[in-house]
Amino acid sequence: MSGINQGNINLKGRDFLKLLDFTPEEILYLLDLAADLKDKKEKGIPVDTLRGKNVALIFEKTSTRTRCSFEVAAHDLGMGCTYLDPSGSQIGKKESIADTARVLAGMFEGIEYRGYGQEIVEELARYSKVPVWNGLTNEFHPTQMLADLLTIREHFGYLKGIKLTYMGDARYNMGNSWMVACAKMGMHFTACTTEKYFPDVELVEECKQIAAENGGSITLTEDVQIGTENVDVIYTDVWVSMGEPDEVWEERIRDLSPYQVNRAVMENAGEKAIFMHCLPAFHDLKTKIGEQISEKFGIDEMEVTDEVFESSQSLVFEEAENRMHTIKAVMAATL
């Protein structure tokens, strides 16, 4: 790809499983490549350099953005893609993960996996002779991180030194991934939530070491005022995953309501701050689940208010578009 300062970076044949596996320079290379591909798309310049190749998309958990991003990116690169929905793949049911990897690697040039434990995508990669990409696991969401980093860089012009506060449940893929991304890129990460929702202690320690090397920092706080004061980015995600029982919803709403992103939070962060969310978001009653939440728990907004979601500080839709450009970069670089 022209216009990219590749230096000695070569990611061909590499898996993309978590950002911990990549150096800051490699992550920047992927962001530069994504920016270049985005520019070409906007100018109508074709990039279908991977004609004749095919990719398999395994979705044990369905998704709008991840699926559309991989499919459009694959088509733009000239590739065919086969989508395997939760009922379309026998992975782990009739066929072991190892066998699935070897079967698909014989037919496809790349395999995407979106589903449950990180160990599943790691095992797929171990037995596959072609690159495997993580579209989301319980522990990490690296393609989302690239999209978010690109969005932040487009807005502010840089990444190093950016202060990002993650509000809500920081124990899973988004909290973990942001802590890693900030540590790698020399950004300042704050998890602002009640203590029982803090990220895993071992990962926190690992990220603190990485952050120290790159000029970043990791902070955990229960204090909303301190955690959101004068920061550049306020980030949140849904508090509850689909399919979790009512008791869990009730508990999370009770525990996390003080950490809702609302006007007071954004004012404390300051005029320059932006709001981000990996979507979907429960900010109004225009969804069936939104209606159910309102009926059961008496709230019209959950992790973010509609006022903030629809404000000029919100970059959620730019961020969603960037999923496609950064996923395209991952596939182009590794194939």
Side-chain angles (χ1 to χ4, degrees):
M1 299 288 164
S2 63
I4 301 297
N5 179 19
Q6 189 167 344
N8 55 0
I9 290 175
N10 179 9
L11 302 180
K12 192 169 181 184
R14 286 272 295 275
D15 299 309
F16 188 73
L17 308 179
K18 56 188 185 298
L19 286 192
L20 283 169
D21 303 334
F22 290 81
T23 65
E25 294 72 29
E26 288 169 338
I27 295 166
L28 279 173
Y29 167 69
L30 287 169
L31 295 178
D32 290 344
L33 178 56
D36 184 56
L37 290 165
K38 182 174 182 176
D39 182 57
K40 287 185 165 75
K41 175 117 178 151
E42 284 166 1
K43 290 174 178 165
I45 300 167
V47 294
D48 52 346
T49 52
L50 298 176
R51 280 193 301 272
K53 294 186 187 294
N54 293 281
V55 294
L57 311 179
I58 303 171
F59 277 68
E60 291 197 291
K61 284 185 182 174
T62 56
S63 161
T64 303
R65 276 153 301 282
T66 305
R67 178 181 177 178
C68 293
S69 297
F70 269 100
E71 289 192 345
V72 173
H75 287 304
D76 281 0
L77 291 167
M79 297 193 287
C81 68
T82 299
Y83 173 75
L84 300 165
D85 69 11
S87 64
S89 153
Q90 298 299 339
I91 185 168
K93 296 190 280 281
K94 286 186 185 171
E95 190 156 43
S96 71
I97 295 163
D99 289 0
T100 302
R102 289 177 287 191
V103 167
L104 294 178
M107 301 179 192
F108 296 94
E109 276 76 25
I111 302 166
E112 178 271 355
Y113 172 83
R114 179 186 173 92
Y116 298 97
Q118 180 72 15
E119 71 277 0
I120 299 172
V121 77
E122 300 273 354
E123 190 174 350
L124 272 173
R126 197 157 53 246
Y127 288 96
S128 169
K129 65 184 181 190
V130 301
V132 172
W133 310 299
N134 179 359
L136 171 139
T137 61
N138 295 339
E139 292 83 0
F140 294 108
H141 199 356
T143 60
Q144 182 71 50
M145 287 305 99
L146 290 182
D148 294 345
L149 289 169
L150 181 63
T151 308
I152 291 168
R153 193 174 75 171
E154 284 173 342
H155 183 81
F156 290 103
Y158 59 94
L159 289 173
K160 203 170 182 66
I162 287 283
K163 295 178 195 157
L164 180 140
T165 295
Y166 183 87
M167 300 185 76
D169 190 343
R171 298 170 299 174
Y172 301 115
N173 46 35
M174 288 306 299
N176 290 344
S177 296
W178 260 124
M179 195 163 57
V180 172
C182 288
K184 290 277 185 181
M185 305 321 289
M187 295 161 65
H188 302 289
F189 172 83
T190 298
C192 184
T193 184
T194 184
E195 192 177 347
K196 78 182 202 191
Y197 296 100
F198 283 171
D200 174 71
V201 178
E202 279 181 34
L203 187 62
V204 170
E205 288 312 309
E206 186 178 358
C207 286
K208 279 183 174 175
Q209 288 179 345
I210 297 167
E213 291 162 20
N214 297 310
S217 64
I218 307 294
T219 305
L220 310 179
T221 183
E222 295 188 277
D223 190 311
V224 174
Q225 199 67 21
I226 292 168
T228 63
E229 192 172 6
N230 290 328
V231 301
D232 302 299
V233 184
I234 298 283
Y235 203 106
T236 193
D237 187 14
V238 291
W239 293 340
V240 194
S241 293
M242 297 305 92
E244 294 198 72
D246 278 4
E247 311 82 79
V248 174
W249 285 82
E250 214 164 321
E251 180 189 20
R252 299 270 171 83
I253 289 167
R254 186 180 62 243
D255 292 345
L256 296 173
S257 287
Y259 300 97
Q260 181 191 62
V261 181
N262 50 35
R263 180 194 285 192
V265 164
M266 295 308 292
E267 284 177 353
N268 193 44
E271 285 175 21
K272 71 179 187 317
I274 58 172
F275 169 72
M276 297 177 74
H277 190 307
C278 53
L279 303 182
F282 295 128
H283 60 98
D284 59 22
L285 302 179
K286 294 176 185 169
T287 62
K288 280 183 183 163
I289 291 168
E291 284 175 14
Q292 287 166 7
I293 292 167
S294 178
E295 283 165 24
K296 280 181 189 165
F297 307 111
I299 55 170
D300 293 350
E301 305 160 312
M302 206 146 96
E303 72 277 6
V304 59
T305 61
D306 194 52
E307 179 183 24
V308 170
F309 188 88
E310 296 293 354
S311 73
S312 59
Q313 288 173 287
S314 172
L315 294 188
V316 295
F317 297 109
E318 291 86 341
E319 182 187 353
E321 181 196 326
N322 280 338
R323 289 296 304 284
M324 192 270 291
H325 303 300
T326 46
I327 281 170
K328 194 190 293 183
V330 168
M331 292 197 290
T334 55
L335 295 179

